[in-house]
Amino acid sequence: EKAGRLKKSTWVSCKGLSNLKSLKFLENGVLFVCADNGIGYVTANQEYHAVNTDEFNSSIDHMMEDYQGNLWFTSSRLGLLRLCESVFSEIPAYKELGESVVNTITVWNKRMYVGTDHGLCIIRPDGTAEKEEPLMDLFAGVRVRCLRTDQNNHLWVATSGRGVYELTTSGEIRC
């Protein structure tokens, strides 16, 4: 401020990071922090978040953002790391459904149908899971391998061991 002196405006603890190497502000107001033992960022509202980079956690020197929005980090010991936005979305209902291998997903009649190794899960438009649905009972414990809709808006369900099912919008089920 006055006479070339700096004044502390905010203090944010970067818990877990040690020996900070560099700071990088992005246009959205996020501040990335590179350190000897990892990476973190501080949001515009002063909240710190650690970034899990698995094994890329040593001597992180610098960070930059490219024209596609990818984040690049350099390490004098490990080389380069590129982080990019995932094309996948996390759906809150998946937490309710537990862990399972997802084999196939399709949207039919405004609901998301998820085929797993243990059956069929149905997600409502608001992101919550259907609890009681006859189709879920029909495929309970069955490996659902593929879900597709056709030009008549019928849902086709291919299973392992139980065949292929056609579901019509009027509620008919054909095996």
Side-chain angles (χ1 to χ4, degrees):
E1 289 215 354
K2 228 174 12 169
R5 299 188 67 163
L6 298 176
K7 179 182 174 187
K8 179 176 83 171
S9 63
T10 305
W11 175 267
V12 177
S13 174
C14 298
K15 188 174 182 170
L17 292 184
S18 62
N19 194 17
L20 304 185
K21 297 286 199 167
S22 66
L23 304 173
K24 174 71 174 181
F25 270 106
L26 300 183
E27 287 183 21
N28 61 3
V30 172
L31 171 68
F32 270 87
V33 182
C34 299
D36 264 348
N37 63 338
I39 301 166
Y41 65 94
V42 180
T43 61
N45 60 350
Q46 311 302 316
E47 293 176 1
Y48 171 74
H49 302 274
V51 176
N52 179 1
T53 56
D54 291 327
E55 302 296 317
F56 196 87
N57 60 4
S58 179
S59 300
I60 313 300
D61 298 315
H62 298 284
M63 178 262 179
M64 68 164 283
E65 182 179 22
D66 69 17
Y67 69 98
Q68 293 179 317
N70 298 309
L71 305 179
W72 292 84
F73 297 88
T74 64
S75 164
S76 58
R77 295 176 187 239
L78 302 171
L80 287 173
L81 171 70
R82 179 181 68 118
L83 295 179
C84 58
E85 191 171 327
S86 175
V87 297
F88 298 100
S89 302
E90 186 167 329
I91 299 169
Y94 283 137
K95 292 179 178 124
E96 297 175 36
L97 302 172
E99 287 191 26
S100 187
V101 173
V102 174
N103 300 314
T104 182
I105 297 175
T106 195
V107 175
W108 185 55
N109 295 335
K110 299 182 182 176
R111 298 190 299 177
M112 184 182 307
Y113 288 73
V114 181
T116 73
D117 281 352
H118 305 289
L120 184 67
C121 303
I122 303 171
I123 313 295
R124 296 182 196 108
D126 67 1
T128 60
E130 290 285 354
K131 299 286 187 205
E132 294 182 27
E133 165 71 45
L135 285 179
M136 291 169 51
D137 293 337
L138 176 66
F139 296 108
V142 176
R143 177 180 281 175
V144 177
R145 300 292 293 162
C146 186
L147 297 166
R148 292 284 186 265
T149 56
D150 65 17
Q151 67 276 7
N152 298 317
N153 196 30
H154 294 182
L155 177 65
W156 292 82
V157 182
T159 69
S160 287
R162 294 247 320 253
V164 177
Y165 293 77
E166 178 186 13
L167 312 172
T168 68
T169 53
S170 63
E172 284 183 75
I173 301 172
R174 297 182 200 122
C175 182

